[in-house]
Amino acid sequence: MSAKSSKSFISKSRFKLATECVNKPYFSVRKDYGNKKDANDFLRALAKGGFQVGELARWYVPGGKNIQTLDYQEALDLTDAELQKENAVIYEAAIKFQDLFIRVDILVKNGKQLKVYEVKAKSFTGDPEDFYKAEKNRTEHDFLDSKWKPYFFDIAFQDYVVRKAYPQHDVSSYLYLIDKRKAATVEGLNQKFFIKDVKGQITVTAAPGLTPDDLGEPILTATNLTTDLKKIQSDPKFWRIEGRDFSFEAGLSLLSTRHAKGERSRPSATRKCRDCEFRLMSEKERALGKSGFDECWSEILPTHEPPNGPLSIDLWNLNYRTADKFLEPDSGLYLMSQISEEDLAAPKKGSKRELYSDGWEDFERRRIQLRKTNLGETTRECLEPELRSVIEGWKFPLHFIDFETTRVAIPFHRCMRPYEQLAFQFSHHVMYEDGTFSHANEWINTTSGKFPNFDFVRALRQAVGNNGTIFRYATHENTVLCEILRQLEVSEEPDRADLINWIKTITYKKTDENGTTYLWRGDRAMVDLLEVVKRYYYHPLMGRSNSIKAVLPAILNDSAFLREKYSRPIYGVPGQVSSKNFTTFAWDHIWVVVDNDKKVRDPYAILKSLSEDIGGYDYDSLERVLEDDEVADGGAAMTAYAMMQFTQMSEPERKKLTSALLRYCELDTLAMIMLYEHWCEIVGLAQRIKAKP
């Protein structure tokens, strides 16, 4: 083992954390602090095919020496030995300068030239202009589009370390990305590489007998960023630490010094604090360890106490400019209790909302959240007459649908492009005019390497039929079906015209997403219940979230009708409410369970976690990925599907995981049923839901 602990170095991952917040590296190396995103990087890479992209890049730059050892000194020695050669290709090259340490994805040496390749499973159009702000908004030191900054900063750090460690060499650095212009030229490219977890170490293996010809034309493009990286490295205001500006190099020096001494910097409040992985709020999260967020904000707040009240950053859908204004030291509006409703001003321009124009504007809803929070009110707010009018416009039977989908970097089939939409599962509940309902249909694809989308649409069309209103929650289902429509247009499916025409009946497509002009809008265009929630209904238990996973516990605690109905064992019971997946619970499964504090437990927490359903894998809490903005609410399902596609799994394991996916998706559409029932209860339409199951 190397004499120096890995905690002594500033690695790529710690540098990345420091660019987000200079104190994150401090918390990340101390095991007594909880980190609710510990597993996210791995899960995100698995869900999107990131591991396979890394291996694919090695096949495009072949013949390299793979530095597999995890021992720091051994990895450095092996890398240096390879670099003594005139020419070399090295995978996971280990390079150190002072206390800065990196592992380079691919390092290529040609004489005195060194090429650094950072491989990412992120896509771009192949045009370097993607990386930059609009021309009119560029400045000398702020020229990058915000979504690309983390990637440029990552490679800038590596470029800096390599230049300092090997000053006699000419260094150029490249970002190696998925190119969305490039379609696969071979069949089954997605199934050429498989993931193995050997005692917690992830490896990717190629299919037996794989040759370079089997990969077809490359779908990755390397872009030379050397000029831009020099701009970043020379920026005199790269870091803002303790109220002072630091250059790239000076900031690294300060970071290294603080890291070596085990010291934190004086924190400052930003809107990014809201989603800090070291902010532990729930009982489950606090069990992970100490809250680094609380320690930082104890220094920020005038009381020098941990924040014990709702924060201004937790206001729903607060725009960045307003959030930044609240957090300026001169303002010091850190707590909701410091904010008045007048501080949440109406937008200067009027709303362009096409639907639900009689509902709340965004600023009005923020004011409701603020008022109820500051007054300690625990009751709902609802525009009941307006909501009733909306509900009365819905036509029976009512269809509630939810999709599980994914986008993977490497295409499944020839002519497919990277990150095309894959719809692998749906759930469908149906409710009738007499108040009865059932889990009527579901569909899932578990076959490795199978393109599911067209069979998915055929099954969905059969499920929802030709009558009744169809409901989704958020825009996802509409987006997915519009993307499948585009795939059908270039397909050779014999029924593609019929499928395209049907999709258009239940979706809409705008010519401009900010306007109201449509390419089409179907007569049965799906109703988005999320929009109905945002415009007509709020409960304090929802906090700043409108996701179905936040709404469900709120309405169960609010509704006497739901608590009485679903505290009985009716779901999945023959002759009462039929279910596709909860029949094994038969007479004893109930959805309303009351804790000691007399609150209804979250049904998603009652449902057995997906991670417990994966035998043979030691992955830490798949549900944590649900909180990641990039992966969104379907994250656990995406990851589970990726496991079935890209790992070697036994048939019993596959069946167990499939069962878990089906249960989760069914609960999503059941939650929509419960929301509809609650609304009928409170707006005077109870006759629609009083039928005994």
Side-chain angles (χ1 to χ4, degrees):
M1 295 296 291
S2 62
K4 199 161 189 177
S5 167
S6 63
K7 292 184 179 180
S8 302
F9 297 119
I10 299 295
S11 62
K12 281 199 303 182
S13 60
R14 287 174 195 146
F15 171 79
K16 178 179 180 295
L17 287 174
T19 60
E20 298 169 3
C21 167
V22 291
N23 283 330
K24 283 187 178 183
Y26 174 89
F27 297 125
S28 70
V29 299
R30 288 163 174 78
K31 297 299 183 184
D32 53 334
Y33 288 92
N35 183 344
K36 62 189 178 186
K37 291 187 178 180
D38 266 342
N40 279 21
D41 286 343
F42 164 76
L43 294 174
R44 191 184 305 114
L46 176 62
K48 295 186 175 182
F51 292 112
Q52 294 95 318
V53 170
E55 185 64 21
L56 181 61
R58 294 180 182 183
W59 280 73
Y60 292 160
V61 187
K65 168 76 173 180
N66 189 11
I67 309 298
Q68 292 181 297
T69 178
L70 299 180
D71 182 272
Y72 277 61
Q73 191 57 52
E74 184 181 2
L76 288 166
D77 293 341
L78 289 171
T79 299
D80 195 58
E82 287 297 307
L83 290 176
Q84 298 306 311
K85 301 175 182 178
E86 181 67 16
N87 300 304
V89 176
I90 311 170
Y91 309 138
E92 294 296 319
I95 298 176
K96 185 176 82 72
F97 171 69
Q98 296 177 350
D99 288 334
L100 310 178
F101 178 89
I102 60 173
R103 298 292 291 256
V104 179
D105 289 338
I106 302 175
L107 184 66
V108 178
K109 183 189 180 208
N110 291 307
K112 289 296 183 181
Q113 291 186 332
L114 288 176
K115 292 184 177 181
V116 176
Y117 291 91
E118 172 68 4
V119 182
K120 293 294 185 184
K122 185 173 176 62
S123 63
F124 81 131
T125 65
D127 183 354
E129 278 296 308
D130 280 3
F131 302 141
Y132 307 113
K133 286 184 172 182
E135 187 73 39
K136 64 179 180 180
N137 297 325
R138 295 181 199 174
T139 65
E140 182 181 358
H141 297 294
D142 188 18
F143 55 92
L144 294 173
D145 186 285
S146 60
K147 67 176 176 288
W148 286 104
K149 283 184 178 180
Y151 302 95
F152 274 63
F153 293 168
D154 186 331
I155 190 69
F157 177 67
Q158 296 181 64
D159 180 272
Y160 176 84
V161 173
V162 175
R163 289 179 186 278
K164 291 295 186 179
Y166 295 94
Q168 70 278 24
H169 288 73
D170 179 22
V171 178
S172 54
S173 296
Y174 300 77
L175 201 52
Y176 214 175
L177 300 170
I178 292 286
D179 192 331
K180 290 194 292 188
R181 300 171 305 174
K182 298 182 176 180
T185 57
V186 295
E187 189 69 16
L189 184 60
N190 191 278
Q191 295 293 298
K192 305 299 185 186
F193 305 103
F194 290 90
I195 298 170
K196 287 185 178 180
D197 180 5
V198 182
K199 297 181 179 179
Q201 185 172 356
I202 304 302
T203 61
V204 181
T205 59
L210 186 69
T211 68
D213 290 341
D214 296 330
L215 302 177
E217 295 297 318
I219 61 169
L220 300 179
T221 293
T223 304
N224 190 335
L225 304 181
T226 305
T227 300
D228 287 333
L229 302 185
K230 289 179 179 178
K231 291 181 184 179
I232 292 169
Q233 293 160 356
S234 63
D235 185 353
K237 297 182 178 181
F238 181 80
W239 306 88
R240 183 75 174 172
I241 304 173
E242 297 183 339
R244 295 169 52 206
D245 291 327
F246 288 82
S247 68
F248 186 91
E249 190 166 40
L252 277 176
S253 177
L254 178 62
L255 182 64
S256 294
T257 301
R258 294 274 170 84
H259 188 70
K261 292 181 178 180
E263 296 176 347
R264 285 196 290 113
S265 297
R266 188 173 70 249
S268 58
T270 74
R271 61 179 180 265
K272 294 180 180 179
C273 292
R274 189 192 74 175
D275 300 314
C276 176
E277 58 265 46
F278 302 102
R279 186 185 186 189
L280 311 175
M281 301 179 68
S282 68
E283 183 178 347
K284 181 179 179 181
E285 289 171 353
R286 289 194 174 274
L288 297 172
K290 295 191 297 184
S291 169
F293 174 91
D294 283 0
E295 290 193 9
C296 282
W297 275 62
S298 295
E299 296 182 39
I300 293 169
L301 295 174
T303 59
H304 297 291
E305 296 285 340
N308 58 5
L311 305 178
S312 60
I313 55 177
D314 290 321
L315 282 164
W316 170 70
N317 204 24
L318 190 65
N319 69 62
Y320 288 163
R321 183 173 298 177
T322 303
D324 288 340
K325 183 179 178 181
F326 286 167
L327 299 176
E328 289 175 356
D330 291 342
S331 300
L333 300 178
Y334 305 119
L335 305 175
M336 283 196 202
S337 58
Q338 298 174 286
I339 299 173
S340 68
E341 290 189 31
E342 288 68 32
D343 292 321
L344 303 177
K348 293 180 181 179
K349 295 181 180 180
S351 170
K352 293 183 180 180
R353 264 201 345 257
E354 176 190 5
L355 300 174
Y356 314 125
S357 57
D358 58 349
W360 296 311
E361 297 282 351
D362 284 2
F363 81 94
E364 293 174 311
R365 203 166 187 282
R366 278 193 292 276
R367 287 180 173 181
I368 292 169
Q369 179 192 355
L370 179 69
R371 182 175 69 252
K372 287 191 167 291
T373 300
N374 287 342
L375 295 178
E377 294 181 0
T378 59
T379 57
R380 67 175 175 266
E381 190 96 357
C382 182
L383 296 177
E384 293 181 11
E386 294 86 348
L387 178 58
R388 175 175 177 140
S389 177
V390 170
I391 293 173
E392 288 178 330
W394 298 339
K395 298 178 180 179
F396 290 99
L398 307 180
H399 304 275
F400 301 84
I401 60 173
D402 178 72
F403 297 173
E404 299 295 351
T405 66
T406 190
R407 298 177 187 271
V408 293
I410 303 178
F412 278 83
H413 298 289
R414 187 175 64 82
C415 297
M416 281 186 63
R417 299 183 187 278
Y419 286 115
E420 288 209 38
Q421 189 73 254
L422 295 176
F424 61 85
Q425 181 182 2
F426 72 76
S427 172
H428 170 226
H429 271 84
V430 61
M431 172 165 274
Y432 300 97
E433 196 164 2
D434 64 0
T436 61
F437 72 91
S438 66
H439 186 225
N441 297 283
E442 64 185 5
W443 187 90
I444 189 169
N445 169 64
T446 60
T447 304
S448 296
K450 178 180 173 61
F451 180 66
N453 289 8
F454 303 150
D455 286 341
F456 174 96
V457 171
R458 294 181 184 107
L460 181 66
R461 179 174 64 172
Q462 184 174 359
V464 300
N466 298 314
N467 300 305
T469 300
I470 305 171
F471 299 92
R472 52 184 165 86
Y473 203 94
T475 59
H476 182 63
E477 283 70 19
N478 190 80
T479 301
V480 169
L481 288 174
C482 288
E483 291 192 40
I484 295 177
L485 183 151
R486 181 185 58 78
Q487 293 170 338
L488 281 163
E489 287 176 335
V490 296
S491 76
E492 297 179 356
E493 296 296 298
D495 57 346
R496 64 182 180 276
D498 287 342
L499 294 177
I500 288 170
N501 290 334
W502 179 78
I503 288 174
K504 287 184 176 181
T505 66
I506 69 168
T507 61
Y508 68 83
K509 183 71 172 178
K510 291 183 178 180
T511 54
D512 177 0
E513 287 302 319
N514 295 318
T516 58
T517 304
Y518 290 90
L519 289 173
W520 73 80
R521 183 176 181 87
D523 293 337
R524 289 179 78 199
M526 295 174 285
V527 172
D528 184 356
L529 290 178
L530 172 60
E531 281 300 309
V532 182
V533 168
K534 289 193 294 186
R535 302 307 160 203
Y536 301 106
Y537 183 87
Y538 178 74
H539 194 285
L541 289 176
M542 292 160 53
R544 69 169 186 260
S545 176
N546 294 306
S547 77
I548 193 67
K549 291 175 176 61
V551 171
L552 181 57
I555 63 173
L556 288 175
N557 280 284
D558 188 36
S559 169
F561 171 81
L562 294 179
R563 287 198 303 275
E564 191 281 329
K565 180 174 182 176
Y566 292 101
S567 63
R568 294 182 284 123
I570 62 170
Y571 196 78
V573 176
Q576 298 195 51
V577 180
S578 65
S579 164
K580 297 289 185 182
N581 300 292
F582 293 94
T583 54
T584 55
F585 291 91
W587 302 98
D588 63 354
H589 184 77
I590 57 176
W591 288 113
V592 172
V593 177
V594 179
D595 284 333
N596 293 333
D597 60 0
K598 296 184 180 180
K599 286 188 176 181
V600 178
R601 287 185 61 194
D602 180 357
Y604 286 96
I606 295 173
L607 196 60
K608 190 177 178 183
S609 73
L610 271 176
S611 57
E612 294 177 29
D613 285 285
I614 303 170
Y617 294 89
D618 188 23
Y619 302 146
D620 181 19
S621 184
L622 280 176
E623 293 82 20
R624 292 189 198 172
V625 81
L626 296 175
E627 299 167 6
D628 188 285
D629 288 341
E630 287 188 30
V631 183
D633 279 347
M638 287 170 58
T639 308
Y641 184 71
M643 288 178 180
M644 289 193 289
Q645 292 291 319
F646 310 135
T647 65
Q648 295 177 340
M649 184 177 288
S650 70
E651 191 57 30
E653 288 170 339
R654 185 178 296 275
K655 288 181 178 179
K656 196 174 184 182
L657 188 51
T658 300
S659 176
L661 282 168
L662 291 170
R663 293 199 305 274
Y664 265 76
C665 200
E666 178 173 345
L667 179 53
D668 284 339
T669 47
L670 174 61
M672 294 162 69
I673 286 275
M674 292 179 178
L675 179 59
Y676 168 78
E677 290 181 313
H678 178 49
W679 284 344
C680 288
E681 172 194 9
I682 63 179
V683 303
L685 294 174
Q687 70 275 9
R688 294 190 174 202
I689 57 174
K690 290 299 184 182
K692 294 295 182 182

